[in-house]
Amino acid sequence: MYVCSIGKAKVRKQLGLAVITQHQIPSLYIHIPFCISKCIYCDFNSIVTKSQMVDEYLTAIEQELQSTTGKHSFRTVFIGGGTPTALNETQLDRLLNMIAKHVDVPSLKEYTIEVNPGTLSNEKAVIMKNNHVDRISIGIQSFNDRYLKLLGRIHSANEAKDIYFNLREKGFKNISIDLIYGYPAQAINEWKKDLRECCKLDTEHISAYCLTYEQGTPIVEMTDSGTLNKLNEEEELKMYEFTNDFLCDNDYNHYEISNFAKRGKECLHNTVYWENREYIGIGAGAFSYVNGERYCNIKSVKEYISSSRSKKRLICFSEKLPQKQRASEILIMALRMTSGISKKEFTQRSGFDLNELFEKQLNNLTQAGLINFDDERVRLTRKGLSVADSVMMEFV
Ligand code: SF4
């Protein structure tokens, strides 16, 4: 029995720290764990902003940047959070300047920053532009003020649109919009309206995630106590399928379970995660993946700052996966992409033959119509995409 579990993970829970090596690492992630207030569904590593702590944090990440990034030539940089634009103008300028000291910014293929529409001033947009940021990811989430309020967002739909047009005016040509659907009481027509509003903006990229109920978040307390009622899986599934059809009809390429892009505008940075390639993460709770080893930094912002100050170790966890587990992970991550993975590439990356390693699972899933497996590639079918999490479990 395969249950509906639509692309629930926000990919970017991956943040990190890594050892210095001389080989090429494709991507750098920098985590800014500050927000103006917490949204009711959020379990990301973020705290409510305190200005002095931000300054101390920036000093700590500068040190980490200095000790880990030297000699690498990255292809992509992604500044995520939290809310990077919760930093004030001086702090944002300081952050982007310190990155430019350690990274050859003009040679990047993609330089993204996440923006919360409630925190972006005109001046911050200019600072980003002047510092070569070339891709903006705006967390709009909904064009319906009622749901924005329910979710605890700090902006209205009109404010979000104004920010979008302002960024266009400043010359940003690559903008992604994050949307969430499947809130308690949301009707499918309301979600259709959100998608239509989004397409009207003609943005280059859309991430559309089904709301997840993470333990410990206020929304879970509200649904547990009956204050809010979750949508059922059939309704979520209808919304997911409508999303795929509607966005494809509007010239978006459905390239990952929850991600859609105009041709050539797929997110290069997140593709590194899905292709299980190496990355370095900087900041509290950040993960890195280097030389087959995964590292994670101290999650608490306070502890991260104090460890940095006293020159203590920032890594709190590391693991080197056994080869077979690594092979499973390569396949699972690759199946998130609608293009899947070729047998040849799987062997090159994992050292295993796909048929030999997963013959039984591949046959069963093919018979169930959930994957498409031919001489060349393996990928999820349309039916498989809508129950992707359950399909992936077969390869764990
Ligand atoms: S803005 Fe993003 S990171 Fe901050 S609380 Fe809301 S969902 Fe979480």
Side-chain angles (χ1 to χ4, degrees), residues 332 388-396:
I332 287 169
D389 288 356
S390 302
V391 175
M392 312 299 193
M393 286 306 291
E394 299 292 318
F395 298 106
V396 173

Side-chain angles (χ1 to χ4, degrees), residues 35 37-39 41-42 44 46 81-83 116 153:
C35 290
S37 61
K38 286 291 279 185
C39 305
Y41 57 92
C42 179
F44 303 129
S46 71
T83 306
N116 179 317
R153 303 291 301 175

Side-chain angles (χ1 to χ4, degrees), residues 17-18 59-61 63-65 67-68 283 296-317:
L17 171 75
T59 302
I61 60 170
Q63 270 187 25
E64 199 189 344
L65 266 171
S67 61
T68 57
C296 181
N297 278 357
I298 298 163
K299 195 173 171 195
S300 149
V301 180
K302 256 191 177 172
E303 272 180 51
Y304 172 84
I305 294 171
S306 68
S307 296
S308 165
R309 216 184 266 143
S310 48
K311 308 265 183 281
K312 283 195 198 141
R313 196 174 149 82
L314 298 179
I315 299 170
C316 65
F317 164 83

